[in-house]
Amino acid sequence: MSVDTKWTYDENYVREYSQNRGEPEWLTEQRVTAIRLADELNLPKPEKTNIKTWNFTEFKHEPGELSAIDSVDELHEDVQKLIDRSTEEQNLIVFRDGKPIYRTGSDHLQEQGVLFLDIETAAREHSDLLKKYFMGSAVDVDEHRLTALHVALLNGGIFIYVPKNVTVESPLQTIYWQDDPEMGLFNHVIIAAEDNSEVTYLENYASFNREQSAAANIISEVYVGQNAKVSYGAVDHFEKGVTTYVNRRGRVERDGYLEWALGQMNEGNTVSDNTTVLQGDGSKADTKAVSIGRGDQSQNFWTDIIHYGKNSVGHILTHGVMKDHASSIFNGVTEIKHGGTKADGQQTERVLMLSERARGDANPILLIDEDDVTAGHAASVGRVDPMQMFYMMSRGISRTEAERLIIHGFLAPVVNELPIQAVKERLTEVIERKVY
Amino acid sequence: MAGSTLKIQDLHVEIDGSEIIKGLDLEINGGEIHAIMGPNGTGKSTLASAIMGHPRYDITQGSVYLDGKDVLEMEVDERAHAGMFLAMQYPSEISGVTNSDFMRSAINSGREEGDEISLMKFIKKMDSKMDELEIDQSFSQRYLNEGFSGGEKKRNEILQLLMLEPRIAILDEIDSGLDIDALKVVSKGINSIKSPDFGCLIITHYQRLLNYITPDKVHVMMQGRVVKSGGAELAQRLEDEGYDWIKEELGIEDEKVGEQA
Ligand SMILES: Nc1ncnc2c1ncn2[C@@H]1O[C@H](COP(=O)(O)OP(=O)(O)O)[C@@H](O)[C@H]1O
Ligand SMILES: [Mg+2]
């Protein structure tokens, strides 16, 4: 690796950092190995997007003194808006610069044996269980420099464990709030849903400072056991200065079901990898993602479902809106491996262009090694239909309002999937703000 | 206040450089129901769309005035605010936008800020109009025209008409694709807003709708012009005898636009 910036993170640093956090030795060793790998490995090479000059390496790694708060009222007002205060039964952890500062949760979770813990605590108190899943079969530390950096510098995240046959009734929600504008977030999410279990998880990434530059490096691992069901919702909204690498991976066993609803609304440059492996027979994944590109931001989305299981079903729906000079590449990938007979892989990518100067590419990729399957794709890049516009305006609706309705309608397939009303409203607001 | 007057004079309309409407005059007053009849391809939809401001049509000559105001100078939404309405032959489908959200935006667009219709009032009105048109309540939460049958789309156009209460409405082939029961329901809806303040232009190529809605005037359109006008009896004669006698009378070989050359 060519070091073109001051790089202060070395083996000694990560070892000491890990020990200060009271981490088990296996984790310390993984960090040390990872920082060595980070030196050797290259950046990933996302299709059609050059990320070589993006800032993945300049940030603050440790936050200043942060103390826990007792009430939601002490949070940033935009963070407060993410919280649904109308319900009593609420399982929520708010992170500020990687540290958990606020939590509410029902005792019921504990009685059920469900773990919903920040990753630092999980490492200390449930080391063996965490080790079983951390950087497990869904993702490898040595995929490229960013996966390695992630492990080496991990500084926040959540561990969710749902035992066999347990259904978690109300959603588990996290808010990852970057408060210090220079803070780098190396956030790790693990959801382990054992056989026949069910859980809904919803996360929000947020920052509010538009100027300073920082990086976010996020990995999620979702393990869906046999006949288990996981619904994973996300709203990403980092401000302009934050360069994001986000990698959300899932692995689904026999008859399991993984549902993704991703609102990818970052304002800064973003590389996103969302890959689901349908390992077991009869496993299913449903991926829905929306994004808006504006200003001069550049984004690259890789949305992939890999079928190994017979009769596995994978559906991808991606909708993107492009404004200003923004550029986004949407890669939709359906892979059906040998043995995945009777698999069904479908994908749709739609891009709505609101500006002549924006770029939006929809690339459907089908890699099919098996004959006896059904696979299909649809991709389109288009503008607002003048007939739709005429129709709406003929009812008195102004051009601006008509366009607004059309855009919200275009993004509705994902917005409507989000499980928490407050977050749905928040995403709608973010969309509103990004488009006008 | 008495009804509005829509006055069309010497209208010429082109699409992609070819002239479809070739000099058309028509005046519709509040309280009147006009029907334009004519075989397919004679320019009826072109006329309706051009009056409402469809972006693909160029008006090369003539004028359209509503109560003395120049309609052709107005944006499409301004025409609606001025009191005009067009029920389209092929309404657009808009995914992700519910009928109800759409209707509420449309109603509020014609009101001042701060004077928006209350949600309760809106729901009540929409429910009662849907009942009137025998539309299922679930309709309001469906996406605008998406996956609607032909008949459902037509009913939705009439629902919008009843909700928006325009002063001048143009209904383009509102009867096509409707079975007899639906036709009766739709006609009932249209008749329910008949008043001295409401003027209506019904475009159709069948006479059967006019069994339920009696027109004051009937115009026959061919080759992009009104070639004959009369009263309700003209529609009856067209039903009985077809269009050939008019063609003979006027020496028209081909009634369609642009194909007579
Ligand atoms: N989009 C178009 N492009 C070119 N010609 C058109 C287009 N739409 C209509 N026309 C021409 O205008 C004629 C009249 O069409 P239209 O107004 O739809 O007739 P009607 O409603 O009476 O059936 C058509 O026969 C066709 O020749
Ligand atoms: Mg027509």
Side-chain angles (χ1 to χ4, degrees):
Chain A
M1 152 185 151
S2 66
V3 182
D4 41 18
T5 54
K6 300 199 292 296
W7 185 246
T8 50
Y9 307 110
D10 56 15
E11 279 185 43
N12 290 334
Y13 174 84
V14 299
R15 191 181 295 281
E16 198 179 312
Y17 178 78
S18 176
Q19 283 162 357
N20 286 343
R21 280 162 69 101
E23 290 178 349
E25 209 176 301
W26 64 264
L27 187 50
T28 310
E29 287 315 312
Q30 281 201 27
R31 286 181 184 274
V32 169
T33 308
I35 197 79
R36 279 188 212 132
L37 283 168
D39 250 352
E40 295 160 12
L41 294 168
N42 289 318
L43 285 173
K45 289 195 183 62
E47 194 100 348
K48 295 188 186 172
T49 306
N50 184 357
I51 64 168
K52 279 192 201 126
T53 58
W54 294 14
N55 171 36
F56 291 109
T57 48
E58 275 194 68
F59 45 78
K60 217 159 116 181
H61 186 236
E62 286 176 88
E65 271 307 301
L66 292 175
S67 48
I69 58 166
D70 300 320
S71 155
V72 170
D73 301 320
E74 294 168 56
L75 295 167
H76 189 292
E77 61 172 319
D78 283 337
V79 175
Q80 289 183 34
K81 283 191 199 152
L82 295 167
I83 300 169
D84 187 354
R85 300 216 209 170
S86 60
T87 61
E88 299 204 348
E89 172 85 356
Q90 196 174 43
N91 300 298
L92 166 72
I93 302 182
V94 180
F95 291 80
R96 178 174 171 180
D97 297 330
K99 294 281 180 194
I101 55 157
Y102 178 77
R103 94 167 273 163
T104 56
S106 67
D107 297 337
H108 190 50
L109 283 185
Q110 258 179 359
E111 288 157 20
Q112 289 181 304
V114 175
L115 297 181
F116 178 46
L117 286 176
D118 68 275
I119 206 153
E120 199 174 339
T121 307
R124 281 196 307 265
E125 296 177 5
H126 301 273
S127 167
D128 289 346
L129 200 55
L130 182 70
K131 187 180 175 190
K132 189 170 155 199
Y133 297 103
F134 182 73
M135 297 305 284
S137 55
V139 57
D140 294 320
V141 63
D142 60 359
E143 289 184 23
H144 45 69
R145 194 166 148 206
L146 297 179
T147 48
L149 272 182
H150 174 89
V151 174
L153 298 177
L154 179 146
N155 61 4
I158 194 87
F159 180 56
I160 294 171
Y161 175 79
V162 186
K164 261 187 194 164
N165 305 322
V166 167
T167 296
V168 181
E169 281 98 14
S170 49
L172 307 182
Q173 187 186 359
T174 56
I175 297 171
Y176 306 104
W177 165 30
Q178 186 228 32
D179 183 30
D180 180 338
E182 291 174 24
M183 188 67 198
L185 294 191
F186 288 73
N187 208 63
H188 199 93
V189 174
I190 294 174
I191 301 176
E194 296 272 34
D195 297 353
N196 301 309
S197 69
E198 201 172 320
V199 64
T200 296
Y201 166 75
L202 187 70
E203 64 188 10
N204 306 264
Y205 287 96
S207 70
F208 305 105
N209 189 297
R210 294 178 188 191
E211 308 309 325
Q212 268 119 319
S213 152
N217 181 328
I218 296 157
I219 293 181
S220 293
E221 306 177 71
V222 182
Y223 297 100
V224 183
Q226 294 187 10
N227 203 37
K229 181 179 175 191
V230 176
S231 295
Y232 189 118
V235 179
D236 304 347
H237 192 225
F238 282 122
E239 268 303 343
K240 214 166 169 238
V242 180
T243 302
T244 303
Y245 168 73
V246 55
N247 183 345
R248 295 187 175 102
R249 298 275 176 90
R251 184 185 163 96
V252 189
E253 304 302 333
R254 186 165 53 77
D255 297 325
Y257 184 25
L258 175 54
E259 219 175 20
W260 303 97
L262 309 177
Q264 303 194 278
M265 298 293 161
N266 288 339
E267 307 284 358
N269 292 347
T270 298
V271 186
S272 166
D273 173 339
N274 172 221
T275 300
T276 307
V277 173
L278 295 177
Q279 189 62 41
D281 294 348
S283 57
K284 270 202 258 179
D286 188 25
T287 305
K288 294 194 171 83
V290 290
S291 71
I292 297 175
R294 72 161 164 177
D296 52 8
Q297 84 180 120
S298 171
Q299 302 189 86
N300 189 295
F301 301 97
W302 177 269
T303 311
D304 190 352
I305 296 182
I306 307 173
H307 299 248
Y308 288 94
K310 296 186 200 335
N311 297 300
S312 55
V313 180
H315 290 180
I316 298 172
L317 179 68
T318 304
H319 281 196
V321 173
M322 303 305 302
K323 284 188 64 188
D324 307 331
H325 278 100
S327 161
S328 292
I329 313 293
F330 300 91
N331 301 293
V333 194
T334 299
E335 300 180 58
I336 302 180
K337 302 289 187 191
H338 263 303
T341 49
K342 304 257 187 311
D344 174 30
Q346 307 290 339
Q347 53 162 300
T348 303
E349 288 91 45
R350 301 217 181 280
V351 185
L352 183 62
M353 306 292 290
L354 298 182
S355 150
E356 302 281 338
R357 296 159 302 158
R359 172 176 181 195
D361 283 11
N363 305 319
I365 301 165
L366 297 178
L367 304 166
I368 316 284
D369 297 335
E370 185 61 53
D371 292 328
D372 185 15
V373 301
T374 45
H377 66 88
S380 67
V381 177
R383 307 195 169 273
V384 172
D385 175 4
M387 273 312 294
Q388 290 186 336
M389 210 54 162
F390 173 58
Y391 184 63
M392 298 180 94
M393 288 177 75
S394 79
R395 301 305 183 240
I397 296 171
S398 68
R399 186 176 297 279
T400 316
E401 176 68 6
E403 200 174 85
R404 201 183 73 83
L405 285 170
I406 288 170
I407 291 164
H408 281 289
F410 181 73
L411 300 177
V414 170
V415 178
N416 292 343
E417 291 294 313
L418 292 174
I420 294 177
Q421 187 58 28
V423 175
K424 207 183 274 192
E425 282 162 18
R426 177 76 188 139
L427 177 58
T428 304
E429 256 176 58
V430 170
I431 290 169
E432 195 88 347
R433 193 137 54 95
K434 281 207 83 166
V435 178
Y436 295 101
Chain B
M1 182 173 140
S4 295
T5 298
L6 183 73
K7 196 167 180 156
I8 302 162
Q9 283 179 302
D10 190 32
L11 191 70
H12 291 250
V13 182
E14 286 186 3
I15 182 160
D16 300 336
S18 71
E19 188 166 66
I20 309 292
I21 303 294
K22 304 175 176 183
L24 185 141
D25 296 84
L26 195 63
E27 182 173 320
I28 301 163
N29 295 297
E32 294 174 358
I33 293 188
H34 292 239
I36 287 191
M37 302 185 67
N40 271 328
T42 53
K44 302 185 298 299
S45 291
T46 303
L47 172 68
S49 305
I51 295 172
M52 203 66 209
H54 189 297
R56 281 201 61 189
Y57 297 98
D58 296 322
I59 294 178
T60 51
Q61 200 178 313
S63 64
V64 181
Y65 282 91
L66 181 70
D67 298 329
K69 280 176 287 182
D70 188 349
V71 169
L72 302 181
E73 285 296 310
M74 300 179 193
E75 288 287 342
V76 178
D77 54 333
E78 291 170 336
R79 296 180 200 207
H81 294 156
M84 293 168 61
F85 180 90
L86 168 62
M88 301 198 190
Q89 185 174 4
Y90 304 109
S92 292
E93 303 189 2
I94 298 171
S95 188
V97 178
T98 63
N99 267 317
S100 150
D101 283 349
F102 175 68
M103 271 325 305
R104 206 143 70 94
S105 293
I107 288 176
N108 285 332
S109 75
R111 291 167 158 246
E112 294 295 318
E113 220 174 304
D115 185 37
E116 287 89 358
I117 188 168
S118 77
L119 188 57
M120 282 307 294
K121 226 171 143 182
F122 169 76
I123 291 172
K124 240 177 106 181
K125 183 168 182 178
M126 182 116 163
D127 280 355
S128 91
K129 300 297 177 195
M130 286 197 299
D131 281 348
E132 211 175 309
L133 295 171
E134 296 175 21
I135 291 170
D136 192 81
Q137 295 295 326
S138 66
F139 200 82
S140 65
Q141 289 312 311
R142 285 170 67 187
Y143 292 153
L144 183 52
N145 293 324
E146 194 180 58
F148 282 27
S149 69
E152 285 175 326
K153 283 183 181 164
K154 300 293 176 183
R155 279 184 208 228
N156 201 17
E157 294 295 283
I158 297 305
L159 175 63
Q160 293 175 24
L161 170 75
L162 300 192
M163 292 293 288
L164 292 171
E165 302 170 6
R167 305 174 70 77
I168 297 285
I170 303 169
L171 312 179
D172 191 2
E173 305 260 356
I174 199 67
D175 51 338
S176 66
L178 294 184
D179 61 31
I180 198 76
D181 290 333
L183 192 69
K184 283 182 187 165
V185 169
V186 161
S187 309
K188 197 178 81 186
I190 297 166
N191 283 324
S192 77
I193 53 165
K194 262 175 89 167
S195 88
D197 287 341
F198 177 68
C200 188
L201 176 63
I202 293 174
I203 294 174
T204 177
H205 60 267
Y206 298 112
Q207 191 268 343
R208 56 175 202 159
L209 177 66
L210 306 178
N211 290 335
Y212 302 97
I213 306 171
T214 314
D216 300 295
K217 297 212 171 100
V218 174
H219 314 276
V220 177
M221 202 163 158
M222 287 184 184
Q223 297 181 338
R225 289 185 194 91
V226 170
V227 294
K228 194 166 190 67
S229 295
E233 77 291 342
L234 176 56
Q236 194 53 54
R237 185 164 175 204
L238 291 172
E239 171 76 356
D240 298 338
E241 301 177 30
Y243 289 98
D244 285 348
W245 62 276
I246 297 184
K247 287 162 71 178
E248 260 164 52
E249 203 175 288
L250 300 172
I252 294 172
E253 296 262 312
D254 187 342
E255 72 280 6
K256 290 193 178 14
V257 194
E259 290 164 29
Q260 68 273 42

